[in-house]
Amino acid sequence: MNDWIIPLDAESKEPIYKQIYSYIKEEIRSGRIPCKSRLPSTRVLAENMQLSRSTITMAYDQLVAEGYLEAKPCRGHYVAQIEDLYLISPSKKEAEHHSQTAKTHCLYDFSPRGIDLESFPYSLWRKITKNILSEAKKDLFLLGEQKGDYELRKAIQEYLYHARGVNCTPQQLIVGAGNEYLLWLLHQILGKEADLVAMENPTYQQAYRVLQSLGHPICPISMDGSGMLISQLQKTQAKIAYVTPSHQYPLGVIMPIKRRMELLSWAMEAEGRYIIEDDYDSEFRYKGKPIPSLQGVDQAGRVIYIGTFSRSIAPAIRVSYMVLPVSLMERYEQKYGFYSCTVPRVEQAVLTCFLQEGYFERHLNRMRANYKAKHDVMLSEIQKFPGFLVSGEHAGIHLLLTAKEKRQEQELLDRAWQGGVRVYGLSEYYIGEVGKREDTVVLGYANLSEKEILEGLGILRSVWGVCKR
C-alpha cells in the first residue's frame, strides 16, 4: 500500500484532511481495505501526495478516534476489526452483504469517539506555527528536556491548577505523545510490584487494551451510582486502581466526595498502592461547575493524574501529560529520566503559545457552547422516544439510552443499521461477562451537525418505535 494516491478535489471547499479521512473511511466500510490491513505511514503518504505530514496525521487520528484504525506503537496504523459492528445477524452471508453495501448504507454515525473538527482554529494554529518557525529558533530543532520543555509544563501546570484543582509543580509533569505512551512509561516506573490493575467495569477500552498488552492482569470492579465499588476493590490483591472519577467513561457517573475519600483510604492502607486518575473529557460539563480532580484532594501522594489535549483540541494534537507524586517522580528521574520526550519541540512551542496567550481557554469556551447546543438538541429530540431512559447526559460528548422494557442491545443496533444509522452498544465496554448490560446504546454527537443529529434521531425513533416487544 506504500504507493497509495488518494483522489482529491482541488475545487472542493472541504479541507484536504477531511477528503482523505472520508476516502479511507469509505474504503474500509466497503471492504476494499480489509480488516488488519496496514496503511502507508504518514510520512510515505505525505510524500506520495506532496502534502504536509500534519494533514495526513490529522486524517489518520480522526479515523483512530472513531475506531476505524488502530495505531500500534512503532508499527503503524492498521484497519480495526469492525465487521461485527455492521452485522444484522451473525451469518457469514449477511456479513459479506453489509460489508459490500456499507459505503452507501451508513448515513449517520453517532460515534462516542468523534470530535467536532469543523471548529478547530485552523487559521490561528497556522499563524502561531508560522510565527514560531519564522523566529528561526535553532534550539527548537535540538533535543529538549526529557520531560517536555519547561515552558509547556509550566503552562499546563497553571491550567490544571486553575481549571482542575490539580496541585503540582512543573517538575512533577511529564509530557508525552498520547496516553498510550504515558501508560507504557508508567508501567516502567511502577515495575513488577504493580502487577494487578483494578479497573472500572465498564471501562475505557483503549486503556484496558494498553495495560493488558503490557502484561498487567486486569481485575474488573463493578460500578454503582457513585462509581467503583470500594468493597469489591478491597477484596482484590490489586495495587493500582484505574478510575475516571470526574466523568466515568462510558457511564457518565461522577464520583462524589465520600466515594473519593474511600478510594484514597484504600490507597493509603498499604505501601505501594496508587490510583491512576484519567481525567478524560472532564472539560465538557453542562450542569453545575466542573468537578475538581481527585488528585487535588490527595494529601498522601497516591494519585497519578493523566490528561490529554486530543479531546479538547484535536486527535492530531498528540500531547498528553502525566502528574506523578513526588516519590514516583524521584524514581523516574533515577531510573528512567533518560527517555527523550516524544512530542516534537515545534509542536510543544505551538501548544505553549496556545495556552499562554489564552487561546486555549477561548477555544474551550467555544467548544463547550458548541457541544452544549448539540447536547440540548439531542436531549430535546430524545424526549420524543417512548420507552427509553437517558443517563450520562450532564457531561462529556455522548449519552446513554436504556430500554425500559429490556429490549436487547443487538436488536436496537440491528434496526438502527437497517435505517442507515450507526450506534454503539454499551456491552462492548465491559471486561468479561460478569455484570454486562445488553439493553443500552451509546450515542455520541460531537462529530455530527445539529441537522444531522435531528435527522439521525428521527430515523432511530422510527425504526425503534416498531420493534416487536
Side-chain angles (χ1 to χ4, degrees):
M1 283 193 173
N2 285 338
D3 57 350
W4 254 25
I5 295 292
I6 296 174
L8 299 176
D9 183 357
E11 298 181 358
S12 173
K13 294 181 180 180
E14 189 173 52
I16 297 298
Y17 89 88
K18 195 166 184 180
Q19 292 186 48
I20 297 170
Y21 150 81
S22 299
Y23 176 84
I24 296 175
K25 181 172 73 171
E26 298 305 336
E27 291 294 289
I28 293 172
R29 285 176 168 177
S30 68
R32 286 191 288 269
I33 305 179
C35 172
K36 300 182 180 179
S37 295
R38 183 179 185 276
L39 270 64
S41 69
T42 55
R43 178 186 60 80
V44 169
L45 190 53
E47 290 176 355
N48 287 350
M49 301 185 66
Q50 298 184 343
L51 298 170
S52 71
R53 191 173 179 181
S54 62
T55 299
I56 307 300
T57 299
M58 186 170 289
Y60 276 23
D61 284 345
Q62 181 63 18
L63 290 163
V64 170
E66 294 186 16
Y68 292 102
L69 297 182
E70 292 179 350
K72 299 184 179 181
C74 303
R75 294 177 61 191
H77 290 82
Y78 292 78
V79 177
Q81 190 166 353
I82 60 173
E83 294 93 336
D84 56 321
L85 295 178
Y86 295 112
L87 298 182
I88 292 179
S89 77
S91 73
K92 182 177 180 181
K93 183 176 180 180
E94 289 185 344
E96 292 173 351
H97 170 73
H98 284 278
S99 177
Q100 293 168 0
T101 60
K103 182 173 181 179
T104 57
H105 192 74
C106 186
L107 303 174
Y108 306 99
D109 187 348
F110 285 87
S111 171
R113 293 180 288 271
I115 70 167
D116 187 350
L117 284 176
E118 297 298 328
S119 300
F120 181 80
Y122 295 99
S123 59
L124 176 60
W125 199 265
R126 184 166 52 248
K127 178 182 176 182
I128 295 173
T129 304
K130 182 179 179 180
N131 290 341
I132 288 171
L133 292 176
S134 65
E135 292 173 2
K137 293 184 178 180
K138 295 181 180 179
D139 64 305
L140 287 180
F141 295 91
L142 300 173
L143 286 176
E145 298 178 67
Q146 281 82 355
K147 291 189 286 188
D149 287 350
Y150 178 82
E151 288 299 317
L152 175 57
R153 288 186 285 122
K154 176 64 175 174
I156 294 174
Q157 178 262 323
E158 291 177 352
Y159 162 71
L160 291 177
Y161 177 74
H162 293 292
R164 305 295 306 121
V166 172
N167 292 312
C168 71
T169 65
Q171 287 73 24
Q172 290 174 257
L173 269 160
I174 298 175
V175 173
N179 285 17
E180 294 88 348
Y181 166 76
L182 293 178
L183 287 175
W184 171 84
L185 183 59
L186 185 58
H187 163 76
Q188 304 291 319
I189 298 168
L190 293 173
K192 293 293 184 181
E193 65 188 56
D195 191 35
L196 183 64
V197 177
M199 298 190 76
E200 301 160 326
N201 199 27
T203 194
Y204 177 44
Q205 284 291 312
Q206 184 70 351
Y208 165 69
R209 288 190 289 262
V210 170
L211 291 169
Q212 190 179 51
S213 71
L214 292 171
H216 292 279
I218 305 298
C219 180
I221 306 296
S222 300
M223 305 274 297
D224 65 7
S226 297
M228 176 182 280
L229 290 171
I230 309 304
S231 58
Q232 279 192 23
L233 177 62
Q234 290 172 333
K235 296 176 183 178
T236 73
Q237 299 299 312
K239 287 194 172 183
I240 301 294
Y242 183 100
V243 295
T244 50
S246 294
H247 180 238
Q248 200 277 335
Y249 191 84
L251 295 182
V253 171
I254 296 170
M255 186 179 288
I257 187 64
K258 183 175 184 298
R259 183 64 56 84
R260 292 177 182 229
M261 299 311 296
E262 291 173 353
L263 183 58
L264 288 170
S265 295
W266 166 85
M268 291 185 289
E269 286 174 0
E271 191 65 31
R273 286 183 179 176
Y274 291 98
I275 300 163
I276 300 175
E277 178 182 12
D278 187 342
D279 211 20
Y280 182 84
D281 76 7
S282 61
E283 295 93 349
F284 304 116
R285 181 165 171 76
Y286 311 116
K287 184 178 181 180
K289 297 181 179 180
I291 305 300
S293 67
L294 177 64
Q295 192 272 357
V297 296
D298 172 30
Q299 301 296 316
R302 297 303 180 98
V303 176
I304 301 159
Y305 181 93
I306 294 179
T308 181
F309 291 105
S310 294
R311 199 69 162 170
S312 55
I313 302 180
I317 311 302
R318 297 293 294 165
V319 181
S320 294
Y321 45 86
M322 176 167 64
V323 177
L324 289 178
V326 174
S327 59
L328 290 184
M329 178 54 71
E330 292 174 351
R331 187 185 304 180
Y332 159 81
E333 291 176 340
Q334 291 171 2
K335 295 184 176 182
Y336 307 102
F338 60 87
Y339 287 118
S340 297
C341 181
T342 52
V343 179
R345 296 194 67 204
V346 172
E347 294 183 17
Q348 292 188 55
V350 173
L351 183 56
T352 300
C353 179
F354 199 66
L355 288 164
Q356 289 179 339
E357 299 299 321
Y359 298 127
F360 176 64
E361 183 178 357
R362 291 195 285 274
H363 170 71
L364 207 52
N365 288 336
R366 285 194 298 269
M367 295 308 296
R368 286 194 188 105
N370 182 352
Y371 288 150
K372 186 176 188 304
K374 295 181 179 184
H375 163 273
D376 292 348
V377 167
M378 176 88 90
L379 278 183
S380 176
E381 188 67 14
I382 283 177
Q383 290 176 357
K384 303 172 185 177
F385 282 51
F388 287 90
L389 295 174
V390 180
S391 59
E393 72 275 21
H394 298 312
I397 50 181
H398 75 271
L399 50 79
L400 308 180
L401 274 185
T402 301
K404 293 180 181 178
E405 298 183 13
K406 300 299 180 183
R407 297 183 191 173
Q408 286 299 299
E409 169 192 295
Q410 192 58 52
E411 180 191 6
L412 298 173
L413 267 61
D414 291 347
R415 289 186 175 272
W417 181 249
Q418 287 176 322
V421 179
R422 185 179 178 191
V423 297
Y424 298 75
L426 180 62
S427 64
E428 68 181 80
Y429 295 90
Y430 280 86
I431 304 170
E433 298 297 320
V434 177
K436 179 183 288 189
R437 288 176 55 183
E438 296 184 344
D439 58 354
T440 301
V441 295
V442 183
L443 295 176
Y445 49 83
N447 60 322
L448 297 173
S449 67
E450 292 181 25
K451 180 175 180 290
E452 289 171 331
I453 289 171
L454 288 171
E455 291 172 351
L457 291 179
I459 293 173
L460 291 181
R461 184 176 56 168
S462 174
V463 297
W464 287 349
V466 295
C467 285
K468 295 181 180 180
R469 307 302 176 96

